[in-house]
Amino acid sequence: SRFGFVKAFMSKTHARIVELASILEQEVIDLKRLRQFAFSGIPDTAYLRSLTWKLLLGYLPPRRSEWPALLARKRAQYRAFVQEFVVDVHKGSQEADVMADPLGALSADTGQASTWDTFFKDNEILEQIDKDVHRLCPEFAFYKEFSPNPRPSNVQPLHKRVAREHLESIVMVETRSGIPTSVRRHASEDNGPDDAERHWEIVERILFVYAKLNARSYVQGMNEILGVLYFVYAQAAFTPLRQPSAPPTDPAPAPA
């Protein structure tokens, strides 16, 4: 029957979840066994899939005791990159070239690229990244939603560096009484708290940091790869493995 098929499917899924959990709860995880298991598909359980991907991609080592220190170090390193690369030259700095003429490409004294020159070159690649992340899975609402975590302090929203915020349009609409009236609409309008950011903004920041670390080597399509990874990782924070619950029972048949 239909309900018998559903029960068999759910029982099989539960058995695979238990098997995967048993692999991942070992102090030293057998990557060969994990790879063989994952070849047939990973159960749609957020924390198990996220952890499996991190292990198979080499982000986490097989020994579990090394995870806390490694994660703390990598997260601190990423925060340092963000503070270094995601700068706002308009706010000024103690560095002399930040306050230099923004139209000057090179420092007259040293012949080295100025902060403004770097800023403008970074914006060239940032424009492409910004276009790509805005159209990342448009049918998927997740990337347009706000992240539960606030934007890091002292970090500029990258999209504002390349947004055409002063563009506006006037459209004609009818009031409730049927009288035509004009409404002015801006090309870029934010909502939400000042420190709120959407998931696509986080993806944009990761791609920008990658481009800075790799000689502006971003190419179109990297947003699609990162988008999948980010979605899976965002669904499951790093938490200890939980004991899988008992398999569900038969769904109750609909009343006749």
Side-chain angles (χ1 to χ4, degrees):
S1 67
R2 177 165 59 96
F3 296 113
F5 171 80
V6 171
K7 180 181 179 181
F9 174 80
M10 297 176 75
S11 297
K12 182 178 179 180
T13 300
H14 179 265
R16 285 185 58 78
I17 291 174
V18 171
E19 182 182 357
L20 179 56
S22 69
I23 297 174
L24 296 176
E25 68 185 4
Q26 302 301 313
E27 171 56 29
V28 179
I29 295 168
D30 186 340
L31 293 182
K32 181 179 179 181
R33 183 184 173 197
L34 179 62
R35 194 174 294 111
Q36 290 173 340
F37 178 92
F39 185 79
S40 299
I42 304 170
D44 191 16
T45 303
Y47 73 98
L48 291 177
R49 175 170 292 174
S50 172
L51 186 53
T52 300
W53 283 21
K54 290 177 182 178
L55 286 161
L56 295 182
L57 290 172
Y59 182 77
L60 289 176
R63 188 174 297 276
R64 292 172 59 91
S65 60
E66 298 176 4
W67 295 355
L70 182 140
L71 286 171
R73 183 171 68 252
K74 288 190 174 183
R75 289 166 180 167
Q77 185 181 44
Y78 177 72
R79 287 193 294 267
F81 286 145
V82 170
Q83 293 296 330
E84 178 182 356
F85 298 145
V86 186
V87 297
D88 186 354
V89 296
H90 299 89
K91 291 185 177 180
S93 168
Q94 293 181 349
E95 299 179 11
D97 61 354
V98 172
M99 302 306 294
D101 181 3
L103 298 180
L106 298 174
S107 171
D109 297 331
T110 65
Q112 300 296 316
S114 69
T115 300
W116 278 108
D117 182 53
T118 302
F119 179 82
F120 290 135
K121 287 183 178 178
D122 287 347
N123 277 4
E124 292 177 7
I125 192 66
L126 180 57
E127 283 194 59
Q128 183 61 56
I129 293 174
D130 190 66
K131 290 177 183 177
D132 290 344
V133 296
H134 271 88
R135 55 193 178 208
L136 177 61
C137 300
E139 73 286 354
F140 198 25
F142 169 78
Y143 297 101
K144 306 296 189 296
E145 297 172 351
F146 284 105
S147 166
N149 299 318
R151 179 182 295 108
S153 59
N154 301 321
V155 172
Q156 176 196 27
L158 282 171
H159 64 94
K160 290 188 175 182
R161 282 174 49 168
V162 293
R164 307 302 191 259
E165 295 194 52
H166 298 293
L167 296 178
E168 59 183 22
S169 61
I170 298 178
V171 297
M172 300 300 296
V173 299
E174 289 188 356
T175 64
R176 296 180 65 179
S177 58
I179 301 175
T181 186
S182 61
V183 176
R184 193 178 299 270
R185 292 180 177 173
H186 294 275
S188 175
E189 293 182 346
D190 291 334
N191 51 39
D194 292 339
D195 62 348
E197 62 180 353
R198 293 179 173 86
H199 290 291
W200 67 260
E201 295 181 69
I202 301 174
V203 173
E204 180 175 50
R205 187 162 58 243
I206 296 172
L207 289 171
F208 181 72
V209 169
Y210 171 85
K212 289 286 289 182
L213 290 171
N214 294 274
R216 303 185 180 93
S217 60
Y218 173 82
V219 295
Q220 190 174 13
M222 287 183 176
N223 61 308
E224 302 287 347
I225 298 173
L226 177 60
V228 175
L229 292 171
Y230 175 80
F231 173 76
V232 171
Y233 294 159
Q235 298 305 300
F238 179 73
T239 55
L241 287 174
R242 301 185 297 272
Q243 187 67 27
S245 58
T249 57
D250 284 58

